[in-house]
Amino acid sequence: MDNKSLASSRTRARETNWQAFFAGFLRNPQEVGSVIPSSRFLEQRILDAADLTEARLVVELGPGTGGTTQAILSSLPGDAKLLTIDMSNEFIDLLNENISDSRLINHLGSAADLSRILKEYNLSAPDAVISGIPFSTMPKEVGANVVKAVREELREKGRFVAYQFRGEVATITRPFMGEPVSSTEWRNVPPMRVYCWKKAVTNSQTSN
Ligand SMILES: C[S@@+](CC[C@H](N)C(=O)[O-])C[C@H]1O[C@@H](n2cnc3c(N)ncnc32)[C@H](O)[C@@H]1O
């Protein structure tokens, strides 16, 4: 395929994703939380925050129609794995149909069950968890359970990257993971805040 055909097939794929995403939003606005998928500028900002160059395992919470998933795969080492978790069976079906990559595992379920899902696939501590799930519209206790599971499962120095329009994710996560580094991506509809936490190293030395 020449460059022109490749570009127009990417544009068609993006348009299809926009339609599927908007249909998902109409079906379940609270759960989807956005009207259109993330822009490529936001995708790049998320990747910069997550620093996946040496990652072995990455978890994506809320892949939606898969734009962010493809961006993550494009910067993931060849022998790494990406586990996505989404509550929408339409989105999970779309990911399974549209993205053929042996590194990818798509799971239909809730991010709050992260610990059980990692065990189900026999996966160890992730190097990064990247989240687009809407913390502002979900019950507070579900949000807190998601963050507790992320904190529990991440490897030491692993990163939790969350992109959100509203600030609830930071309010919920601070008590568990401290103050985030954050920045705003204006070239997205709506402009999106990207938060990043690094899991602290626990001092395992014990006195005799
Ligand atoms: C704003 S969309 C993010 C889409 C995509 N990552 C992007 O940036 O274009 C949020 C996604 O989170 C999913 N979601 C919402 N609550 C969830 C939960 N508790 N567990 C897993 N996925 C959830 C929704 O189904 C939706 O696909």
Short mmCIF file of all heavy atoms in Angstrom, two decimals, residues 147-185:
data_model
loop_
_atom_site.label_atom_id
_atom_site.label_comp_id
_atom_site.label_asym_id
_atom_site.label_seq_id
_atom_site.Cartn_x
_atom_site.Cartn_y
_atom_site.Cartn_z
N VAL A 147 -8.26 2.33 42.54
CA VAL A 147 -6.95 2.91 42.88
C VAL A 147 -6.19 2.01 43.86
O VAL A 147 -4.98 1.81 43.73
CB VAL A 147 -7.12 4.33 43.45
CG1 VAL A 147 -5.82 4.85 44.00
CG2 VAL A 147 -7.65 5.25 42.36
N LYS A 148 -6.91 1.44 44.84
CA LYS A 148 -6.26 0.54 45.80
C LYS A 148 -5.66 -0.67 45.07
O LYS A 148 -4.55 -1.09 45.35
CB LYS A 148 -7.27 0.03 46.84
CG LYS A 148 -7.44 0.97 48.01
CD LYS A 148 -8.22 0.28 49.12
CE LYS A 148 -9.48 1.05 49.39
NZ LYS A 148 -10.41 0.45 50.31
N ALA A 149 -6.42 -1.22 44.11
CA ALA A 149 -5.93 -2.38 43.36
C ALA A 149 -4.71 -1.99 42.51
O ALA A 149 -3.73 -2.74 42.43
CB ALA A 149 -7.04 -2.95 42.48
N VAL A 150 -4.75 -0.81 41.90
CA VAL A 150 -3.61 -0.35 41.08
C VAL A 150 -2.38 -0.22 41.98
O VAL A 150 -1.29 -0.70 41.66
CB VAL A 150 -3.94 1.00 40.39
CG1 VAL A 150 -2.68 1.61 39.76
CG2 VAL A 150 -5.02 0.81 39.34
N ARG A 151 -2.54 0.43 43.14
CA ARG A 151 -1.44 0.64 44.09
C ARG A 151 -0.85 -0.72 44.54
O ARG A 151 0.35 -0.90 44.62
CB ARG A 151 -1.97 1.45 45.28
CG ARG A 151 -1.09 1.49 46.52
CD ARG A 151 0.06 2.48 46.33
NE ARG A 151 0.96 2.56 47.46
CZ ARG A 151 1.83 1.62 47.81
NH1 ARG A 151 1.88 0.48 47.15
NH2 ARG A 151 2.63 1.82 48.83
N GLU A 152 -1.75 -1.66 44.80
CA GLU A 152 -1.36 -2.99 45.28
C GLU A 152 -0.58 -3.76 44.20
O GLU A 152 0.43 -4.40 44.47
CB GLU A 152 -2.65 -3.74 45.64
CG GLU A 152 -2.49 -5.16 46.14
CD GLU A 152 -1.92 -5.20 47.55
OE1 GLU A 152 -2.05 -4.19 48.26
OE2 GLU A 152 -1.33 -6.24 47.89
N GLU A 153 -1.06 -3.68 42.95
CA GLU A 153 -0.52 -4.56 41.90
C GLU A 153 0.69 -4.01 41.16
O GLU A 153 1.50 -4.78 40.65
CB GLU A 153 -1.63 -4.89 40.87
CG GLU A 153 -2.81 -5.63 41.45
CD GLU A 153 -2.43 -6.97 42.09
OE1 GLU A 153 -1.43 -7.58 41.68
OE2 GLU A 153 -3.16 -7.40 43.01
N LEU A 154 0.82 -2.67 41.08
CA LEU A 154 1.95 -2.09 40.34
C LEU A 154 3.27 -2.58 40.92
O LEU A 154 3.40 -2.75 42.14
CB LEU A 154 1.93 -0.57 40.48
CG LEU A 154 1.30 0.29 39.40
CD1 LEU A 154 1.40 1.76 39.81
CD2 LEU A 154 1.93 0.08 38.03
N ARG A 155 4.26 -2.74 40.08
CA ARG A 155 5.59 -3.05 40.63
C ARG A 155 6.16 -1.77 41.25
O ARG A 155 5.68 -0.67 40.93
CB ARG A 155 6.51 -3.60 39.54
CG ARG A 155 7.01 -2.57 38.56
CD ARG A 155 8.32 -3.02 37.92
NE ARG A 155 8.72 -2.10 36.87
CZ ARG A 155 9.32 -0.93 37.06
NH1 ARG A 155 9.57 -0.48 38.29
NH2 ARG A 155 9.65 -0.17 36.04
N GLU A 156 7.16 -1.92 42.11
CA GLU A 156 7.79 -0.74 42.71
C GLU A 156 8.36 0.15 41.60
O GLU A 156 8.92 -0.36 40.63
CB GLU A 156 8.90 -1.15 43.68
CG GLU A 156 8.33 -1.75 44.96
CD GLU A 156 9.40 -2.07 45.99
OE1 GLU A 156 10.60 -1.98 45.67
OE2 GLU A 156 9.02 -2.41 47.12
N LYS A 157 8.19 1.46 41.74
CA LYS A 157 8.58 2.46 40.75
C LYS A 157 7.71 2.40 39.49
O LYS A 157 7.99 3.06 38.49
CB LYS A 157 10.05 2.34 40.34
CG LYS A 157 11.02 2.64 41.46
CD LYS A 157 12.41 2.71 40.87
CE LYS A 157 13.47 2.78 41.92
NZ LYS A 157 14.82 2.59 41.39
N GLY A 158 6.67 1.53 39.50
CA GLY A 158 5.74 1.47 38.37
C GLY A 158 4.89 2.73 38.33
O GLY A 158 4.73 3.42 39.33
N ARG A 159 4.34 3.04 37.15
CA ARG A 159 3.61 4.30 36.98
C ARG A 159 2.12 4.09 36.79
O ARG A 159 1.70 3.18 36.06
CB ARG A 159 4.15 5.05 35.76
CG ARG A 159 5.56 5.52 36.01
CD ARG A 159 6.13 6.20 34.80
NE ARG A 159 7.54 6.50 35.07
CZ ARG A 159 8.17 7.55 34.59
NH1 ARG A 159 7.56 8.39 33.80
NH2 ARG A 159 9.45 7.74 34.87
N PHE A 160 1.36 4.94 37.44
CA PHE A 160 -0.09 5.01 37.21
C PHE A 160 -0.36 6.32 36.49
O PHE A 160 -0.11 7.40 37.02
CB PHE A 160 -0.83 4.95 38.55
CG PHE A 160 -2.33 5.11 38.43
CD1 PHE A 160 -3.04 4.49 37.40
CD2 PHE A 160 -3.04 5.85 39.37
CE1 PHE A 160 -4.43 4.64 37.29
CE2 PHE A 160 -4.43 6.00 39.27
CZ PHE A 160 -5.12 5.38 38.23
N VAL A 161 -0.84 6.21 35.25
CA VAL A 161 -1.12 7.40 34.43
C VAL A 161 -2.63 7.46 34.18
O VAL A 161 -3.21 6.50 33.66
CB VAL A 161 -0.36 7.34 33.08
CG1 VAL A 161 -0.73 8.52 32.20
CG2 VAL A 161 1.14 7.29 33.33
N ALA A 162 -3.26 8.56 34.58
CA ALA A 162 -4.70 8.70 34.38
C ALA A 162 -4.98 10.00 33.65
O ALA A 162 -4.46 11.05 34.04
CB ALA A 162 -5.42 8.68 35.73
N TYR A 163 -5.78 9.93 32.58
CA TYR A 163 -6.14 11.15 31.84
C TYR A 163 -7.62 11.41 32.05
O TYR A 163 -8.46 10.53 31.88
CB TYR A 163 -5.78 11.05 30.35
CG TYR A 163 -6.25 9.80 29.66
CD1 TYR A 163 -7.37 9.81 28.83
CD2 TYR A 163 -5.56 8.60 29.82
CE1 TYR A 163 -7.80 8.66 28.19
CE2 TYR A 163 -6.00 7.45 29.19
CZ TYR A 163 -7.10 7.48 28.39
OH TYR A 163 -7.54 6.33 27.77
N GLN A 164 -7.93 12.64 32.49
CA GLN A 164 -9.28 12.98 32.92
C GLN A 164 -9.57 14.44 32.65
O GLN A 164 -8.66 15.28 32.73
CB GLN A 164 -9.44 12.77 34.43
CG GLN A 164 -9.31 11.33 34.87
CD GLN A 164 -10.56 10.51 34.67
OE1 GLN A 164 -11.39 10.45 35.53
NE2 GLN A 164 -10.71 9.89 33.51
N PHE A 165 -10.84 14.75 32.40
CA PHE A 165 -11.27 16.13 32.25
C PHE A 165 -11.42 16.77 33.63
O PHE A 165 -11.01 17.90 33.87
CB PHE A 165 -12.59 16.16 31.48
CG PHE A 165 -13.20 17.52 31.35
CD1 PHE A 165 -12.50 18.56 30.74
CD2 PHE A 165 -14.47 17.78 31.83
CE1 PHE A 165 -13.07 19.82 30.62
CE2 PHE A 165 -15.04 19.03 31.72
CZ PHE A 165 -14.34 20.06 31.12
N ARG A 166 -12.01 16.02 34.56
CA ARG A 166 -12.21 16.54 35.93
C ARG A 166 -11.15 15.97 36.87
O ARG A 166 -10.46 15.01 36.53
CB ARG A 166 -13.61 16.17 36.43
CG ARG A 166 -14.70 16.82 35.62
CD ARG A 166 -16.02 16.79 36.35
NE ARG A 166 -17.02 17.52 35.60
CZ ARG A 166 -17.72 17.01 34.59
NH1 ARG A 166 -17.54 15.77 34.23
NH2 ARG A 166 -18.61 17.75 33.95
N GLY A 167 -11.07 16.57 38.08
CA GLY A 167 -9.95 16.24 38.98
C GLY A 167 -10.19 15.15 40.00
O GLY A 167 -9.32 14.87 40.82
N GLU A 168 -11.36 14.43 39.93
CA GLU A 168 -11.67 13.44 40.98
C GLU A 168 -10.59 12.37 41.13
O GLU A 168 -10.29 11.93 42.23
CB GLU A 168 -13.01 12.73 40.70
CG GLU A 168 -14.21 13.41 41.27
CD GLU A 168 -14.70 14.52 40.36
OE1 GLU A 168 -13.99 14.85 39.38
OE2 GLU A 168 -15.79 15.05 40.62
N VAL A 169 -10.03 11.96 40.00
CA VAL A 169 -9.03 10.87 40.08
C VAL A 169 -7.87 11.27 41.00
O VAL A 169 -7.36 10.45 41.76
CB VAL A 169 -8.54 10.43 38.68
CG1 VAL A 169 -7.73 11.51 37.98
CG2 VAL A 169 -7.72 9.16 38.79
N ALA A 170 -7.48 12.55 40.97
CA ALA A 170 -6.38 13.00 41.83
C ALA A 170 -6.82 13.01 43.29
O ALA A 170 -6.08 12.58 44.18
CB ALA A 170 -5.91 14.39 41.40
N THR A 171 -8.06 13.46 43.54
CA THR A 171 -8.58 13.50 44.91
C THR A 171 -8.64 12.08 45.48
O THR A 171 -8.30 11.85 46.63
CB THR A 171 -10.01 14.12 44.90
OG1 THR A 171 -9.94 15.33 44.16
CG2 THR A 171 -10.52 14.37 46.29
N ILE A 172 -9.09 11.13 44.65
CA ILE A 172 -9.23 9.75 45.13
C ILE A 172 -7.86 9.08 45.31
O ILE A 172 -7.65 8.31 46.23
CB ILE A 172 -10.10 8.93 44.12
CG1 ILE A 172 -11.53 9.46 44.10
CG2 ILE A 172 -10.10 7.44 44.47
CD1 ILE A 172 -12.41 8.88 43.00
N THR A 173 -6.91 9.40 44.43
CA THR A 173 -5.64 8.67 44.43
C THR A 173 -4.63 9.21 45.46
O THR A 173 -3.81 8.44 45.99
CB THR A 173 -5.01 8.69 43.00
OG1 THR A 173 -5.98 8.22 42.08
CG2 THR A 173 -3.77 7.81 42.90
N ARG A 174 -4.67 10.53 45.73
CA ARG A 174 -3.71 11.16 46.66
C ARG A 174 -3.49 10.39 47.97
O ARG A 174 -2.35 10.13 48.34
CB ARG A 174 -4.15 12.58 46.98
CG ARG A 174 -3.25 13.59 46.32
CD ARG A 174 -3.58 15.02 46.68
NE ARG A 174 -3.45 15.83 45.50
CZ ARG A 174 -4.47 16.34 44.80
NH1 ARG A 174 -5.72 16.16 45.20
NH2 ARG A 174 -4.24 17.03 43.71
N PRO A 175 -4.57 9.96 48.68
CA PRO A 175 -4.35 9.28 49.95
C PRO A 175 -3.57 7.97 49.79
O PRO A 175 -2.93 7.50 50.74
CB PRO A 175 -5.77 8.99 50.46
CG PRO A 175 -6.66 9.90 49.70
CD PRO A 175 -5.99 10.18 48.40
N PHE A 176 -3.62 7.35 48.61
CA PHE A 176 -2.95 6.06 48.41
C PHE A 176 -1.57 6.21 47.77
O PHE A 176 -0.66 5.44 48.04
CB PHE A 176 -3.80 5.16 47.50
CG PHE A 176 -5.18 4.91 48.04
CD1 PHE A 176 -6.27 5.59 47.52
CD2 PHE A 176 -5.38 4.02 49.09
CE1 PHE A 176 -7.54 5.38 48.02
CE2 PHE A 176 -6.65 3.80 49.60
CZ PHE A 176 -7.73 4.49 49.07
N MET A 177 -1.41 7.23 46.88
CA MET A 177 -0.16 7.30 46.11
C MET A 177 0.52 8.67 46.15
O MET A 177 1.51 8.89 45.47
CB MET A 177 -0.42 6.89 44.65
CG MET A 177 -0.90 5.45 44.52
SD MET A 177 -0.89 4.82 42.84
CE MET A 177 0.83 4.60 42.51
N GLY A 178 -0.04 9.59 46.94
CA GLY A 178 0.60 10.90 47.10
C GLY A 178 0.29 11.87 45.98
O GLY A 178 -0.67 11.70 45.22
N GLU A 179 1.14 12.89 45.87
CA GLU A 179 0.92 13.98 44.93
C GLU A 179 1.34 13.57 43.51
O GLU A 179 2.43 13.05 43.32
CB GLU A 179 1.75 15.18 45.40
CG GLU A 179 1.27 16.53 44.95
CD GLU A 179 -0.19 16.81 45.30
OE1 GLU A 179 -0.63 16.48 46.41
OE2 GLU A 179 -0.88 17.33 44.41
N PRO A 180 0.47 13.78 42.50
CA PRO A 180 0.87 13.42 41.13
C PRO A 180 1.68 14.53 40.44
O PRO A 180 1.62 15.68 40.86
CB PRO A 180 -0.49 13.29 40.42
CG PRO A 180 -1.37 14.26 41.13
CD PRO A 180 -0.91 14.30 42.57
N VAL A 181 2.38 14.15 39.38
CA VAL A 181 2.88 15.14 38.42
C VAL A 181 1.76 15.27 37.39
O VAL A 181 1.20 14.25 36.98
CB VAL A 181 4.18 14.61 37.75
CG1 VAL A 181 4.60 15.53 36.61
CG2 VAL A 181 5.28 14.45 38.78
N SER A 182 1.42 16.49 36.98
CA SER A 182 0.32 16.59 36.02
C SER A 182 0.57 17.68 34.99
O SER A 182 1.35 18.60 35.22
CB SER A 182 -1.00 16.84 36.75
OG SER A 182 -0.99 18.10 37.34
N SER A 183 -0.10 17.53 33.85
CA SER A 183 -0.03 18.55 32.80
C SER A 183 -1.33 18.50 32.01
O SER A 183 -2.10 17.53 32.13
CB SER A 183 1.16 18.27 31.87
OG SER A 183 0.94 17.05 31.19
N THR A 184 -1.59 19.55 31.21
CA THR A 184 -2.85 19.59 30.45
C THR A 184 -2.56 19.48 28.95
O THR A 184 -1.64 20.12 28.45
CB THR A 184 -3.58 20.93 30.71
OG1 THR A 184 -3.82 21.03 32.11
CG2 THR A 184 -4.92 21.00 29.98
N GLU A 185 -3.34 18.63 28.28
CA GLU A 185 -3.27 18.58 26.81
C GLU A 185 -4.47 19.36 26.26
O GLU A 185 -5.62 18.93 26.41
CB GLU A 185 -3.28 17.13 26.32
CG GLU A 185 -3.24 17.00 24.81
CD GLU A 185 -2.10 17.80 24.19
OE1 GLU A 185 -0.94 17.47 24.39
OE2 GLU A 185 -2.39 18.80 23.47
#
